[in-house]
Amino acid sequence: MVKAVPFRALRPAASKAADVAALPYDVYDRQEAVREVAGKPFSFLNIDRPETQFDDSVAINDRKCYDKAACMLADWEQQGILLQDPADCYYLYELTMDGHSQTGIVACVSIDDYLGGIVKKHENTRVDKEQDRVDHIAACHAQTGPAFLAYRESAALAQVKDKVKAGTPVFDFTSEDGIRHRGWVVSDPADISKVQKAFEDLPALYIADGHHRTAAAVRVGVQERQEKAADNLPSSVFLSVIFQEDELRIFDYNRVLKLPAGKSEADILEAVKRLFDVQESADQVKPSRKGEFGMYLGGKWYRLNAHVDILSDDPVDGLDASVLQNHVLQPVFGIDDPRTDPNVDFVGGIRGIGELERRCHADMQAAFSLYPTSMQELLAVADAGRLMPPKSTWFEPKLRSGLFIHKI
């Protein structure tokens, strides 16, 4: 049984929604974030990445950065840029990209569901990244970035979504990247009751994206329970946007690498040929099915089809990202821990296959393109209580931060 409750969202005034909405904090490095907020004083990235308000001498995790975020959040509310709803509501958030639409329900999910495994994860978190969001939530007394969750299917939730979307949205704008964003308030008591009951009828939720945001919110909630010796606190739930899984799209998540010391391009090609059927390609290779990979090496593209003996029916070992890691990146390139090794980097498919060539001519020497992980594979891994290799999924479109905030 899932506990996903309505809440009083802090959200932009209708005239400010387009200015406030910002891509998630973790899609930018520091320099990119600084450039992104330039000339955009109301972009929520100013709050989500408060180090952008200081020069490089101030560390990202300096206490003054988190204090600045809290100060800006309070100022924006005082100025009326952000307004808090007077009563608990659910919300709908629709994103449309390249003709594809997906509509999530904005709610607050119980931290006990996460702790008890009802909210299922598929990857681990890094301590430093998690601590950054813990400090940000604690300083702001607010969860500013929603977790991106999924559920398998619910006719009851679909019915309420259809009804509410027939009304007028409270925001409707198209962001600079061409994605349309619309939102509605679910305020009718009957609809609220139906949504809450429909969530209670679900056996589980799945984290699609936002593992660090989720884990950080849970840590803050647990800590506040201990400090205040109380259970029913605002921090006992975490901000989420929850989609039916068949509405979601996963893009490819590709790899670029440096050659290991002492190995030539010919050595790499020979090693790969022992594991894959290899065909040189005159065109860029974007895999069209599971078990097929593209390789860019020495200025040439190759189409790779995995030999059957390196494939697996195991929910984790059978992932293309696992096949590549276990049989190529680790034994051939020496990448034991892809989360920390500087000789590998990851390129989201939204950037295009050409970005792999660019990186190989700039700071890397080899690249692999992958077929996207499916939602069915993600759910199977999570249901098995297992974890995917790092950077196995890239979801698009990305949720915008700042449109819905949960004050704690």
Side-chain angles (χ1 to χ4, degrees):
M1 185 177 79
V2 170
K3 182 180 179 182
V5 299
F7 69 107
R8 295 170 58 212
L10 181 67
R11 53 191 182 87
S15 62
K16 292 292 186 182
D19 294 328
V20 170
L23 282 166
Y25 74 98
D26 53 356
V27 305
Y28 302 102
D29 62 27
R30 183 168 187 164
Q31 289 70 37
E32 289 171 336
V34 169
R35 291 194 295 269
E36 180 64 22
V37 301
K40 298 178 180 177
F42 299 123
S43 168
F44 201 78
L45 192 61
N46 289 284
I47 292 174
D48 252 357
R49 294 293 295 269
E51 75 276 10
T52 58
Q53 311 303 303
F54 301 91
D55 62 40
D56 289 348
S57 66
V58 177
I60 288 175
N61 60 353
D62 192 300
R63 180 67 200 182
K64 68 175 66 174
C65 291
Y66 302 115
D67 289 342
K68 180 65 173 179
C71 182
M72 293 181 70
L73 186 62
D75 285 348
W76 287 17
E77 187 173 4
Q78 187 175 24
Q79 294 173 42
I81 298 166
L82 300 173
L83 304 170
Q84 187 167 27
D85 285 324
D88 289 342
C89 301
Y90 290 108
Y91 306 86
L92 300 185
Y93 180 18
E94 178 197 74
L95 302 95
T96 301
M97 174 182 175
D98 298 333
H100 168 84
S101 292
Q102 58 193 54
T103 304
I105 298 173
V106 187
C108 282
V109 175
S110 170
I111 66 172
D112 293 312
D113 284 359
Y114 178 87
L115 295 169
I118 293 174
V119 176
K120 300 184 179 186
K121 61 182 182 179
H122 65 265
E123 67 179 43
N124 276 327
T125 57
R126 282 176 43 186
V127 173
D128 57 337
K129 291 181 66 177
E130 187 179 312
Q131 186 62 48
D132 166 63
R133 289 301 98 178
V134 166
D135 293 338
H136 193 276
I137 293 169
C140 292
H141 301 291
Q143 298 157 357
T144 61
F148 184 174
L149 307 183
Y151 59 92
R152 283 190 178 273
E153 186 177 4
S154 170
L157 290 177
Q159 185 180 48
V160 174
K161 287 196 289 185
D162 288 344
K163 175 190 172 185
V164 174
K165 287 177 65 176
T168 303
V170 292
F171 64 77
D172 183 350
F173 64 91
T174 300
S175 50
E176 293 176 349
D177 54 3
I179 296 171
R180 187 181 184 185
H181 305 262
R182 295 199 296 168
W184 293 263
V185 178
V186 183
S187 58
D188 181 270
D191 291 335
I192 289 174
S193 179
K194 287 179 184 177
V195 171
Q196 192 158 357
K197 175 62 167 57
F199 277 121
E200 290 173 354
D201 289 341
L202 293 174
L205 297 177
Y206 300 84
I207 301 176
D209 200 7
H211 284 78
H212 289 90
R213 279 163 276 176
T214 304
V218 171
R219 277 181 56 190
V220 171
V222 169
Q223 183 175 333
E224 288 204 348
R225 280 180 173 179
Q226 294 170 345
E227 292 173 349
K228 299 178 180 179
D231 290 332
N232 192 25
L233 299 168
S235 58
S236 292
V237 293
F238 62 92
L239 178 65
S240 306
V241 186
I242 315 169
F243 296 85
Q244 186 160 299
E245 58 89 8
D246 60 3
E247 292 188 38
L248 301 179
R249 294 197 302 175
I250 302 178
F251 281 52
D252 44 310
Y253 214 156
N254 305 308
R255 278 71 170 137
V256 289
L257 302 110
K258 294 179 181 177
L259 297 189
K263 285 192 177 180
S264 66
E265 292 169 354
D267 294 330
I268 299 298
L269 185 58
E270 185 61 30
V272 168
K273 285 182 175 179
R274 292 194 288 268
L275 303 165
F276 299 84
D277 293 328
V278 179
Q279 289 184 315
E280 187 174 335
S281 174
D283 302 314
Q284 296 174 342
V285 178
K286 186 176 179 65
S288 59
R289 60 178 178 81
K290 185 174 168 61
E292 182 179 85
F293 302 80
M295 180 175 70
Y296 188 69
L297 182 71
K300 297 179 180 178
W301 276 102
Y302 300 87
R303 188 177 303 275
L304 315 180
N305 283 286
H307 292 168
V308 67
D309 59 333
I310 68 170
L311 300 177
S312 172
D313 292 330
D314 182 86
V316 175
D317 292 339
L319 297 170
D320 279 3
S322 295
V323 171
L324 188 67
Q325 173 62 33
N326 296 339
H327 298 284
V328 180
L329 301 194
Q330 195 281 326
V332 179
F333 284 84
I335 307 295
D336 293 317
D337 187 350
R339 295 173 300 176
T340 59
D341 197 312
N343 294 317
V344 62
D345 199 5
F346 305 88
V347 180
I350 194 69
R351 296 180 180 267
I353 296 296
E355 177 67 8
L356 303 183
E357 292 185 10
R358 189 195 71 79
R359 289 292 301 276
C360 285
H361 294 296
D363 60 333
M364 294 292 185
Q365 296 158 308
F368 290 90
S369 55
L370 286 76
Y371 188 68
T373 302
S374 70
M375 276 301 299
Q376 289 69 36
E377 288 176 315
L378 184 153
L379 299 177
V381 171
D383 281 338
R386 306 275 296 281
L387 300 174
M388 289 184 172
K391 310 296 186 183
S392 293
T393 57
W394 180 282
F395 284 89
E396 288 287 348
K398 300 289 186 188
L399 305 181
R400 267 30 179 196
S401 295
L403 293 175
F404 305 95
I405 300 161
H406 177 224
K407 295 175 67 175
I408 61 171

